[in-house]
Amino acid sequence: MPAIIAAAGDKASEHFLEFFAATIRNRNTRAAYVQAIAQFCRWCEEHDLRLATIRPLHVSAYIEAKPLTAPSIKQHLAALRGLFNWLVIKQVVPENLAMFVKGPKFSRQVGITPIMEAEQMRLLLDSIPITRKMKVPAKHGGGHKEVLDIKGLRDRAIIAIMGYTFGRVSAVVGVKRGDYRHEGKRARLRLLEKGNKEKLVWLHREAEEFLDAYIAAAGIDDKEAALFQSVDKAHKFSGQAITRRNMLRVVKDRCRAAGLSEEFCNHTFRGTGMTVFLQNGGSLEAAQDMANHADPRTTKLYDRRKDLATLNEIERRIAFE
């Protein structure tokens, strides 16, 4: 509990916690708001402010002093507005102090997440080893034997699914064994996307092949078990789903091993999948539906065809020789 909130009494403390628990359902949004509000509370404590003495001027001074990008500042303001609005409703403070503070003007026409070209995606998938050498005990003859590498099979399957379905990493790593099933000759996957929106997706044949190979090697049969689990050094499953952070490390490591940029991240595959889909004649409406976007303008942020075309033109037409 931040000291500035605790000093305001039990009622303020209770409703402060209530704001995060009762009004924010998305875990990622909750975590971001916790960080933003904690930073503001620390700033207030450093300037000897109490909850009752905070004014819009203080909120504005805090925002001005933050070395953040415009989107981050807007997120901080959204967190503070939400908190103070809740405290007004619960009669802890008389007014929403952050409501009067204007954020920076900002709009984005194209996404900034680095994406891969189709050839790079192909290189990455093909570079992930799916076998490893295991030492054979001396009593069994010694030497080494080649066995399936469940880490490689898992990583290849996750990356392929993110690329082919445009699924967010949080939805893909959260898949349970029972969410994957065959309907006729094709396979379907259930993803729980942002805002707890259920998404049933048909899998591309390659993604299906990679996933089947992983499941066969992993031997996960319990329908309630996490499908993509973390693996220890002995290549044994932990029983817990791999986290987004761990998956980010996996992506960095796999890209490095393939000779690709380490700037690529989990979200790269969502943008890569959409761009390649549109490059190959897919419609924006279909991409929007597959990406589970409510607004087509959001889908357009992931359409990087113009970026790739511009880069190719620069490489082809500009040469200082």
Side-chain angles (χ1 to χ4, degrees):
M1 182 68 63
I4 190 173
I5 302 296
D10 293 342
K11 181 180 178 181
S13 298
E14 177 185 348
H15 294 312
F16 177 81
L17 294 176
E18 219 171 41
F19 166 69
F20 298 104
T23 68
I24 307 173
R25 290 270 62 85
N26 185 278
R27 293 177 63 184
N28 297 330
T29 301
R30 183 184 293 145
Y33 277 25
V34 164
Q35 291 295 321
I37 291 169
Q39 290 176 34
F40 175 71
C41 289
R42 284 195 294 270
W43 184 88
C44 290
E45 291 160 15
E46 290 169 1
H47 290 81
D48 297 322
L49 294 172
R50 292 178 288 110
L51 187 61
T53 61
I54 298 174
R55 296 292 180 267
L57 176 63
H58 300 128
V59 179
S60 179
Y62 166 74
I63 292 299
E64 290 288 338
K66 291 295 287 183
L68 298 173
T69 61
S72 294
I73 290 174
K74 291 170 77 72
Q75 185 186 63
H76 274 242
L77 274 176
L80 293 174
R81 286 168 182 159
L83 172 64
F84 280 115
N85 187 59
W86 182 255
L87 295 180
V88 168
I89 292 172
K90 295 301 179 179
Q91 300 180 350
V92 176
V93 295
E95 60 183 349
N96 189 335
L97 306 167
M99 189 61 68
F100 305 101
V101 180
K102 284 189 176 182
K105 290 185 177 181
F106 177 80
S107 64
R108 178 174 287 150
Q109 301 300 319
V110 179
I112 59 172
T113 300
I115 67 164
M116 296 181 178
E117 296 185 42
E119 295 80 6
Q120 292 175 308
M121 185 69 171
R122 181 76 270 151
L123 171 63
L124 177 62
L125 289 172
D126 290 344
S127 71
I128 299 176
I130 58 172
T131 61
R132 63 185 179 89
K133 287 186 177 181
M134 188 175 73
K135 190 174 182 179
V136 179
K139 63 180 180 180
H140 295 301
H144 293 82
K145 67 176 180 179
E146 198 166 83
V147 297
L148 289 173
D149 184 354
I150 56 173
K151 278 187 179 179
L153 290 166
R154 179 200 64 188
D155 298 348
R156 187 179 67 168
I158 294 178
I159 290 172
I161 289 171
M162 287 193 291
Y164 280 119
T165 68
F166 314 161
R168 295 177 177 86
V169 63
S170 55
V172 176
V173 299
V175 167
K176 295 182 178 180
R177 176 65 182 87
D179 293 330
Y180 176 60
R181 62 178 183 270
H182 284 81
E183 295 182 10
K185 295 182 178 180
R186 300 306 303 276
R188 206 165 195 180
L189 192 65
R190 174 183 174 270
L191 300 176
L192 197 60
E193 282 283 3
K194 190 176 180 180
N196 281 334
K197 294 179 181 178
E198 184 181 71
K199 175 182 170 186
L200 295 174
V201 295
W202 293 106
L203 287 184
H204 185 280
R205 284 185 176 85
E206 185 172 56
E208 179 183 344
E209 175 190 329
F210 290 167
L211 186 52
D212 285 342
Y214 164 67
I215 291 174
I220 300 173
D221 298 320
D222 183 2
K223 290 186 177 181
E224 293 302 314
L227 182 55
F228 299 115
Q229 300 181 15
S230 57
V231 180
D232 61 21
K233 292 182 179 179
H235 290 262
K236 292 183 179 179
F237 286 120
S238 66
Q240 301 297 316
I242 186 172
T243 65
R244 292 185 306 143
R245 286 184 178 276
N246 285 340
M247 192 60 217
L248 179 60
R249 283 195 286 269
V250 166
V251 169
K252 301 289 187 185
D253 290 343
R254 297 298 185 187
C255 286
R256 189 187 309 115
L260 298 171
S261 170
E262 292 182 47
E263 293 298 314
F264 294 130
C265 60
N266 292 328
H267 215 55
T268 288
F269 307 108
R270 184 170 168 83
T272 298
M274 285 189 225
T275 298
V276 174
F277 176 80
L278 294 168
Q279 275 181 325
N280 292 335
S283 68
L284 183 65
E285 292 77 11
Q288 177 189 347
D289 181 63
M290 291 172 66
N292 207 23
H293 286 152
D295 192 327
R297 288 176 296 183
T298 306
T299 310
K300 287 181 180 178
L301 291 175
Y302 291 88
D303 181 4
R304 308 292 282 281
R305 288 176 292 176
K306 288 183 179 179
D307 281 1
L308 296 178
T310 302
L311 178 60
N312 289 336
E313 284 294 296
I314 290 173
E315 293 286 350
R316 186 162 65 92
R317 297 183 183 278
I318 302 178
F320 299 110
E321 295 179 349

